[in-house]
Amino acid sequence: MSDEHVDFLSGCVRNARLDEGQFLFREGQRADELYLIRSGKLALESHDGARGAIVAETVGGGDALGWSTLFPPYRWGLDARGIHLAHLFAIDGACLRAKLEADHDFGYAFTRRLLNEVHSRLQRARLQALDVYRARP
């Protein structure tokens, strides 16, 4: 994204910190922010009544999470819990959606970057699924 786009978005962004064991968000809660992880690690988890928390993926520095804030009904589909102290940029969802609509050049640049993140996440999930279902001797 251009420096102008970063400046345009900066009014929507705040710094955030997540301690080990702390939840950033919980499944079913309102998705009000999109997060860019600067450092640290988080576990994306789902809960099963019989097995408890199941880690779907671990994310860290350079990853984005929280695109649920862009799509109705704006609800989290997983829990996000700190594994190691994490520092993040938290982007206000309502502010971001307004800026995406207000400047379509910005919206296009932002969406391309976000889709790249989604693509990478799907590729990792596919490889993980292949490993889980691989025939074992």
Side-chain angles (χ1 to χ4, degrees), residues 46-75:
S46 189
H47 289 272
D48 176 312
R51 296 183 287 172
I54 300 167
V55 176
E57 184 176 9
T58 302
V59 293
D63 289 326
L65 66 139
W67 49 77
S68 295
T69 196
L70 297 175
F71 306 104
Y74 311 115
R75 298 278 173 205

PDB file of all heavy atoms in Angstrom, residues 46-75:
ATOM      1  N   SER A  46     -11.107 -23.511  18.404  1.00  0.00           N
ATOM      2  CA  SER A  46     -12.526 -23.842  18.391  1.00  0.00           C
ATOM      3  C   SER A  46     -12.755 -24.770  19.574  1.00  0.00           C
ATOM      4  O   SER A  46     -11.826 -25.426  20.043  1.00  0.00           O
ATOM      5  CB  SER A  46     -12.900 -24.523  17.081  1.00  0.00           C
ATOM      6  OG  SER A  46     -14.293 -24.670  16.979  1.00  0.00           O
ATOM      7  N   HIS A  47     -13.975 -24.820  20.060  1.00  0.00           N
ATOM      8  CA  HIS A  47     -14.253 -25.652  21.234  1.00  0.00           C
ATOM      9  C   HIS A  47     -15.176 -26.806  20.885  1.00  0.00           C
ATOM     10  O   HIS A  47     -16.140 -26.648  20.150  1.00  0.00           O
ATOM     11  CB  HIS A  47     -14.845 -24.808  22.362  1.00  0.00           C
ATOM     12  CG  HIS A  47     -13.838 -23.895  22.964  1.00  0.00           C
ATOM     13  ND1 HIS A  47     -13.016 -24.278  23.994  1.00  0.00           N
ATOM     14  CD2 HIS A  47     -13.467 -22.631  22.651  1.00  0.00           C
ATOM     15  CE1 HIS A  47     -12.200 -23.287  24.296  1.00  0.00           C
ATOM     16  NE2 HIS A  47     -12.457 -22.271  23.498  1.00  0.00           N
ATOM     17  N   ASP A  48     -14.815 -27.934  21.429  1.00  0.00           N
ATOM     18  CA  ASP A  48     -15.597 -29.158  21.290  1.00  0.00           C
ATOM     19  C   ASP A  48     -15.974 -29.561  22.717  1.00  0.00           C
ATOM     20  O   ASP A  48     -15.104 -29.631  23.590  1.00  0.00           O
ATOM     21  CB  ASP A  48     -14.728 -30.233  20.615  1.00  0.00           C
ATOM     22  CG  ASP A  48     -15.408 -31.574  20.495  1.00  0.00           C
ATOM     23  OD1 ASP A  48     -15.975 -32.052  21.492  1.00  0.00           O
ATOM     24  OD2 ASP A  48     -15.347 -32.157  19.407  1.00  0.00           O
ATOM     25  N   GLY A  49     -17.254 -29.820  22.951  1.00  0.00           N
ATOM     26  CA  GLY A  49     -17.709 -30.151  24.290  1.00  0.00           C
ATOM     27  C   GLY A  49     -16.948 -31.289  24.929  1.00  0.00           C
ATOM     28  O   GLY A  49     -16.675 -31.288  26.130  1.00  0.00           O
ATOM     29  N   ALA A  50     -16.589 -32.294  24.154  1.00  0.00           N
ATOM     30  CA  ALA A  50     -15.900 -33.466  24.693  1.00  0.00           C
ATOM     31  C   ALA A  50     -14.392 -33.260  24.815  1.00  0.00           C
ATOM     32  O   ALA A  50     -13.774 -33.755  25.751  1.00  0.00           O
ATOM     33  CB  ALA A  50     -16.177 -34.680  23.798  1.00  0.00           C
ATOM     34  N   ARG A  51     -13.793 -32.527  23.866  1.00  0.00           N
ATOM     35  CA  ARG A  51     -12.328 -32.401  23.828  1.00  0.00           C
ATOM     36  C   ARG A  51     -11.810 -31.057  24.316  1.00  0.00           C
ATOM     37  O   ARG A  51     -10.620 -30.885  24.482  1.00  0.00           O
ATOM     38  CB  ARG A  51     -11.817 -32.660  22.412  1.00  0.00           C
ATOM     39  CG  ARG A  51     -12.085 -34.085  21.935  1.00  0.00           C
ATOM     40  CD  ARG A  51     -11.514 -34.334  20.563  1.00  0.00           C
ATOM     41  NE  ARG A  51     -12.328 -33.631  19.570  1.00  0.00           N
ATOM     42  CZ  ARG A  51     -12.019 -33.516  18.294  1.00  0.00           C
ATOM     43  NH1 ARG A  51     -10.898 -34.026  17.847  1.00  0.00           N
ATOM     44  NH2 ARG A  51     -12.822 -32.895  17.454  1.00  0.00           N
ATOM     45  N   GLY A  52     -12.681 -30.088  24.505  1.00  0.00           N
ATOM     46  CA  GLY A  52     -12.235 -28.768  24.940  1.00  0.00           C
ATOM     47  C   GLY A  52     -11.717 -27.958  23.770  1.00  0.00           C
ATOM     48  O   GLY A  52     -12.180 -28.093  22.638  1.00  0.00           O
ATOM     49  N   ALA A  53     -10.713 -27.121  24.048  1.00  0.00           N
ATOM     50  CA  ALA A  53     -10.157 -26.237  23.019  1.00  0.00           C
ATOM     51  C   ALA A  53      -9.332 -27.029  22.016  1.00  0.00           C
ATOM     52  O   ALA A  53      -8.495 -27.844  22.392  1.00  0.00           O
ATOM     53  CB  ALA A  53      -9.289 -25.159  23.650  1.00  0.00           C
ATOM     54  N   ILE A  54      -9.589 -26.778  20.736  1.00  0.00           N
ATOM     55  CA  ILE A  54      -8.841 -27.402  19.645  1.00  0.00           C
ATOM     56  C   ILE A  54      -8.178 -26.279  18.856  1.00  0.00           C
ATOM     57  O   ILE A  54      -8.855 -25.373  18.362  1.00  0.00           O
ATOM     58  CB  ILE A  54      -9.770 -28.213  18.726  1.00  0.00           C
ATOM     59  CG1 ILE A  54     -10.460 -29.316  19.517  1.00  0.00           C
ATOM     60  CG2 ILE A  54      -9.001 -28.773  17.535  1.00  0.00           C
ATOM     61  CD1 ILE A  54     -11.606 -29.969  18.797  1.00  0.00           C
ATOM     62  N   VAL A  55      -6.855 -26.316  18.764  1.00  0.00           N
ATOM     63  CA  VAL A  55      -6.123 -25.274  18.033  1.00  0.00           C
ATOM     64  C   VAL A  55      -6.251 -25.545  16.544  1.00  0.00           C
ATOM     65  O   VAL A  55      -5.812 -26.582  16.048  1.00  0.00           O
ATOM     66  CB  VAL A  55      -4.642 -25.226  18.465  1.00  0.00           C
ATOM     67  CG1 VAL A  55      -3.875 -24.214  17.619  1.00  0.00           C
ATOM     68  CG2 VAL A  55      -4.527 -24.891  19.945  1.00  0.00           C
ATOM     69  N   ALA A  56      -6.867 -24.594  15.839  1.00  0.00           N
ATOM     70  CA  ALA A  56      -7.012 -24.701  14.392  1.00  0.00           C
ATOM     71  C   ALA A  56      -5.748 -24.221  13.690  1.00  0.00           C
ATOM     72  O   ALA A  56      -5.354 -24.762  12.662  1.00  0.00           O
ATOM     73  CB  ALA A  56      -8.217 -23.881  13.926  1.00  0.00           C
ATOM     74  N   GLU A  57      -5.126 -23.189  14.280  1.00  0.00           N
ATOM     75  CA  GLU A  57      -3.915 -22.632  13.674  1.00  0.00           C
ATOM     76  C   GLU A  57      -3.226 -21.733  14.685  1.00  0.00           C
ATOM     77  O   GLU A  57      -3.869 -21.173  15.575  1.00  0.00           O
ATOM     78  CB  GLU A  57      -4.277 -21.824  12.415  1.00  0.00           C
ATOM     79  CG  GLU A  57      -3.071 -21.296  11.685  1.00  0.00           C
ATOM     80  CD  GLU A  57      -3.399 -20.569  10.393  1.00  0.00           C
ATOM     81  OE1 GLU A  57      -4.581 -20.313  10.128  1.00  0.00           O
ATOM     82  OE2 GLU A  57      -2.452 -20.248   9.668  1.00  0.00           O
ATOM     83  N   THR A  58      -1.923 -21.591  14.525  1.00  0.00           N
ATOM     84  CA  THR A  58      -1.147 -20.634  15.296  1.00  0.00           C
ATOM     85  C   THR A  58      -0.692 -19.535  14.348  1.00  0.00           C
ATOM     86  O   THR A  58      -0.214 -19.825  13.248  1.00  0.00           O
ATOM     87  CB  THR A  58       0.073 -21.320  15.940  1.00  0.00           C
ATOM     88  OG1 THR A  58      -0.390 -22.389  16.774  1.00  0.00           O
ATOM     89  CG2 THR A  58       0.881 -20.349  16.765  1.00  0.00           C
ATOM     90  N   VAL A  59      -0.870 -18.285  14.754  1.00  0.00           N
ATOM     91  CA  VAL A  59      -0.486 -17.144  13.920  1.00  0.00           C
ATOM     92  C   VAL A  59       0.494 -16.275  14.696  1.00  0.00           C
ATOM     93  O   VAL A  59       0.527 -16.309  15.928  1.00  0.00           O
ATOM     94  CB  VAL A  59      -1.718 -16.329  13.461  1.00  0.00           C
ATOM     95  CG1 VAL A  59      -2.581 -17.141  12.507  1.00  0.00           C
ATOM     96  CG2 VAL A  59      -2.547 -15.854  14.643  1.00  0.00           C
ATOM     97  N   GLY A  60       1.291 -15.509  13.950  1.00  0.00           N
ATOM     98  CA  GLY A  60       2.295 -14.680  14.601  1.00  0.00           C
ATOM     99  C   GLY A  60       2.627 -13.442  13.798  1.00  0.00           C
ATOM    100  O   GLY A  60       1.888 -13.046  12.898  1.00  0.00           O
ATOM    101  N   GLY A  61       3.751 -12.853  14.120  1.00  0.00           N
ATOM    102  CA  GLY A  61       4.193 -11.603  13.514  1.00  0.00           C
ATOM    103  C   GLY A  61       4.058 -11.597  12.001  1.00  0.00           C
ATOM    104  O   GLY A  61       4.458 -12.545  11.343  1.00  0.00           O
ATOM    105  N   GLY A  62       3.432 -10.550  11.483  1.00  0.00           N
ATOM    106  CA  GLY A  62       3.218 -10.410  10.048  1.00  0.00           C
ATOM    107  C   GLY A  62       1.870 -10.917   9.582  1.00  0.00           C
ATOM    108  O   GLY A  62       1.453 -10.618   8.466  1.00  0.00           O
ATOM    109  N   ASP A  63       1.174 -11.694  10.429  1.00  0.00           N
ATOM    110  CA  ASP A  63      -0.138 -12.213  10.047  1.00  0.00           C
ATOM    111  C   ASP A  63      -1.234 -11.205  10.370  1.00  0.00           C
ATOM    112  O   ASP A  63      -1.096 -10.373  11.270  1.00  0.00           O
ATOM    113  CB  ASP A  63      -0.448 -13.526  10.783  1.00  0.00           C
ATOM    114  CG  ASP A  63       0.377 -14.699  10.297  1.00  0.00           C
ATOM    115  OD1 ASP A  63       0.678 -14.736   9.084  1.00  0.00           O
ATOM    116  OD2 ASP A  63       0.718 -15.569  11.116  1.00  0.00           O
ATOM    117  N   ALA A  64      -2.333 -11.316   9.638  1.00  0.00           N
ATOM    118  CA  ALA A  64      -3.540 -10.532   9.896  1.00  0.00           C
ATOM    119  C   ALA A  64      -4.626 -11.483  10.336  1.00  0.00           C
ATOM    120  O   ALA A  64      -4.675 -12.632   9.902  1.00  0.00           O
ATOM    121  CB  ALA A  64      -3.972  -9.782   8.643  1.00  0.00           C
ATOM    122  N   LEU A  65      -5.477 -11.028  11.213  1.00  0.00           N
ATOM    123  CA  LEU A  65      -6.634 -11.835  11.566  1.00  0.00           C
ATOM    124  C   LEU A  65      -7.797 -10.912  11.897  1.00  0.00           C
ATOM    125  O   LEU A  65      -7.609  -9.768  12.271  1.00  0.00           O
ATOM    126  CB  LEU A  65      -6.348 -12.797  12.720  1.00  0.00           C
ATOM    127  CG  LEU A  65      -6.057 -12.225  14.083  1.00  0.00           C
ATOM    128  CD1 LEU A  65      -6.766 -13.078  15.121  1.00  0.00           C
ATOM    129  CD2 LEU A  65      -4.569 -12.277  14.351  1.00  0.00           C
ATOM    130  N   GLY A  66      -8.978 -11.458  11.674  1.00  0.00           N
ATOM    131  CA  GLY A  66     -10.163 -10.692  12.013  1.00  0.00           C
ATOM    132  C   GLY A  66     -10.916 -10.141  10.832  1.00  0.00           C
ATOM    133  O   GLY A  66     -11.584  -9.122  10.943  1.00  0.00           O
ATOM    134  N   TRP A  67     -10.819 -10.807   9.674  1.00  0.00           N
ATOM    135  CA  TRP A  67     -11.566 -10.279   8.537  1.00  0.00           C
ATOM    136  C   TRP A  67     -13.063 -10.428   8.734  1.00  0.00           C
ATOM    137  O   TRP A  67     -13.844  -9.912   7.962  1.00  0.00           O
ATOM    138  CB  TRP A  67     -11.080 -10.851   7.207  1.00  0.00           C
ATOM    139  CG  TRP A  67     -10.935 -12.339   7.130  1.00  0.00           C
ATOM    140  CD1 TRP A  67     -11.930 -13.248   6.995  1.00  0.00           C
ATOM    141  CD2 TRP A  67      -9.726 -13.074   7.167  1.00  0.00           C
ATOM    142  NE1 TRP A  67     -11.412 -14.518   6.950  1.00  0.00           N
ATOM    143  CE2 TRP A  67     -10.057 -14.448   7.059  1.00  0.00           C
ATOM    144  CE3 TRP A  67      -8.392 -12.717   7.282  1.00  0.00           C
ATOM    145  CZ2 TRP A  67      -9.102 -15.454   7.061  1.00  0.00           C
ATOM    146  CZ3 TRP A  67      -7.453 -13.729   7.295  1.00  0.00           C
ATOM    147  CH2 TRP A  67      -7.801 -15.065   7.176  1.00  0.00           C
ATOM    148  N   SER A  68     -13.481 -11.096   9.830  1.00  0.00           N
ATOM    149  CA  SER A  68     -14.910 -11.163  10.160  1.00  0.00           C
ATOM    150  C   SER A  68     -15.499  -9.773  10.370  1.00  0.00           C
ATOM    151  O   SER A  68     -16.703  -9.577  10.225  1.00  0.00           O
ATOM    152  CB  SER A  68     -15.135 -11.995  11.426  1.00  0.00           C
ATOM    153  OG  SER A  68     -14.771 -13.338  11.216  1.00  0.00           O
ATOM    154  N   THR A  69     -14.654  -8.801  10.701  1.00  0.00           N
ATOM    155  CA  THR A  69     -15.137  -7.437  10.900  1.00  0.00           C
ATOM    156  C   THR A  69     -15.592  -6.783   9.596  1.00  0.00           C
ATOM    157  O   THR A  69     -16.248  -5.754   9.608  1.00  0.00           O
ATOM    158  CB  THR A  69     -14.073  -6.570  11.606  1.00  0.00           C
ATOM    159  OG1 THR A  69     -14.706  -5.387  12.113  1.00  0.00           O
ATOM    160  CG2 THR A  69     -12.948  -6.176  10.662  1.00  0.00           C
ATOM    161  N   LEU A  70     -15.276  -7.410   8.468  1.00  0.00           N
ATOM    162  CA  LEU A  70     -15.654  -6.845   7.167  1.00  0.00           C
ATOM    163  C   LEU A  70     -16.949  -7.421   6.609  1.00  0.00           C
ATOM    164  O   LEU A  70     -17.490  -6.888   5.644  1.00  0.00           O
ATOM    165  CB  LEU A  70     -14.525  -7.068   6.151  1.00  0.00           C
ATOM    166  CG  LEU A  70     -13.206  -6.381   6.475  1.00  0.00           C
ATOM    167  CD1 LEU A  70     -12.146  -6.784   5.466  1.00  0.00           C
ATOM    168  CD2 LEU A  70     -13.380  -4.872   6.509  1.00  0.00           C
ATOM    169  N   PHE A  71     -17.442  -8.523   7.192  1.00  0.00           N
ATOM    170  CA  PHE A  71     -18.584  -9.221   6.607  1.00  0.00           C
ATOM    171  C   PHE A  71     -19.691  -9.447   7.634  1.00  0.00           C
ATOM    172  O   PHE A  71     -19.436 -10.010   8.693  1.00  0.00           O
ATOM    173  CB  PHE A  71     -18.128 -10.580   6.042  1.00  0.00           C
ATOM    174  CG  PHE A  71     -16.987 -10.462   5.076  1.00  0.00           C
ATOM    175  CD1 PHE A  71     -15.699 -10.796   5.459  1.00  0.00           C
ATOM    176  CD2 PHE A  71     -17.204  -9.997   3.794  1.00  0.00           C
ATOM    177  CE1 PHE A  71     -14.639 -10.667   4.578  1.00  0.00           C
ATOM    178  CE2 PHE A  71     -16.148  -9.876   2.901  1.00  0.00           C
ATOM    179  CZ  PHE A  71     -14.862 -10.212   3.288  1.00  0.00           C
ATOM    180  N   PRO A  72     -20.914  -9.026   7.285  1.00  0.00           N
ATOM    181  CA  PRO A  72     -22.035  -9.292   8.197  1.00  0.00           C
ATOM    182  C   PRO A  72     -22.144 -10.788   8.430  1.00  0.00           C
ATOM    183  O   PRO A  72     -21.819 -11.566   7.531  1.00  0.00           O
ATOM    184  CB  PRO A  72     -23.263  -8.769   7.432  1.00  0.00           C
ATOM    185  CG  PRO A  72     -22.703  -7.810   6.416  1.00  0.00           C
ATOM    186  CD  PRO A  72     -21.315  -8.303   6.095  1.00  0.00           C
ATOM    187  N   PRO A  73     -22.500 -11.218   9.590  1.00  0.00           N
ATOM    188  CA  PRO A  73     -23.062 -10.462  10.717  1.00  0.00           C
ATOM    189  C   PRO A  73     -22.016  -9.905  11.681  1.00  0.00           C
ATOM    190  O   PRO A  73     -22.342  -9.557  12.817  1.00  0.00           O
ATOM    191  CB  PRO A  73     -23.943 -11.496  11.414  1.00  0.00           C
ATOM    192  CG  PRO A  73     -23.206 -12.781  11.216  1.00  0.00           C
ATOM    193  CD  PRO A  73     -22.570 -12.663   9.842  1.00  0.00           C
ATOM    194  N   TYR A  74     -20.756  -9.814  11.259  1.00  0.00           N
ATOM    195  CA  TYR A  74     -19.676  -9.257  12.084  1.00  0.00           C
ATOM    196  C   TYR A  74     -19.536 -10.014  13.408  1.00  0.00           C
ATOM    197  O   TYR A  74     -19.557  -9.433  14.492  1.00  0.00           O
ATOM    198  CB  TYR A  74     -19.870  -7.759  12.335  1.00  0.00           C
ATOM    199  CG  TYR A  74     -20.169  -6.959  11.097  1.00  0.00           C
ATOM    200  CD1 TYR A  74     -21.399  -6.315  10.948  1.00  0.00           C
ATOM    201  CD2 TYR A  74     -19.246  -6.844  10.073  1.00  0.00           C
ATOM    202  CE1 TYR A  74     -21.688  -5.579   9.811  1.00  0.00           C
ATOM    203  CE2 TYR A  74     -19.525  -6.110   8.931  1.00  0.00           C
ATOM    204  CZ  TYR A  74     -20.746  -5.487   8.808  1.00  0.00           C
ATOM    205  OH  TYR A  74     -21.029  -4.769   7.682  1.00  0.00           O
ATOM    206  N   ARG A  75     -19.347 -11.321  13.320  1.00  0.00           N
ATOM    207  CA  ARG A  75     -19.170 -12.185  14.497  1.00  0.00           C
ATOM    208  C   ARG A  75     -17.935 -13.054  14.320  1.00  0.00           C
ATOM    209  O   ARG A  75     -17.639 -13.500  13.215  1.00  0.00           O
ATOM    210  CB  ARG A  75     -20.384 -13.109  14.690  1.00  0.00           C
ATOM    211  CG  ARG A  75     -21.672 -12.402  14.935  1.00  0.00           C
ATOM    212  CD  ARG A  75     -21.810 -12.002  16.370  1.00  0.00           C
ATOM    213  NE  ARG A  75     -22.989 -11.164  16.549  1.00  0.00           N
ATOM    214  CZ  ARG A  75     -23.133 -10.301  17.510  1.00  0.00           C
ATOM    215  NH1 ARG A  75     -22.175 -10.156  18.403  1.00  0.00           N
ATOM    216  NH2 ARG A  75     -24.213  -9.579  17.611  1.00  0.00           N
TER     217      ARG A  75
END
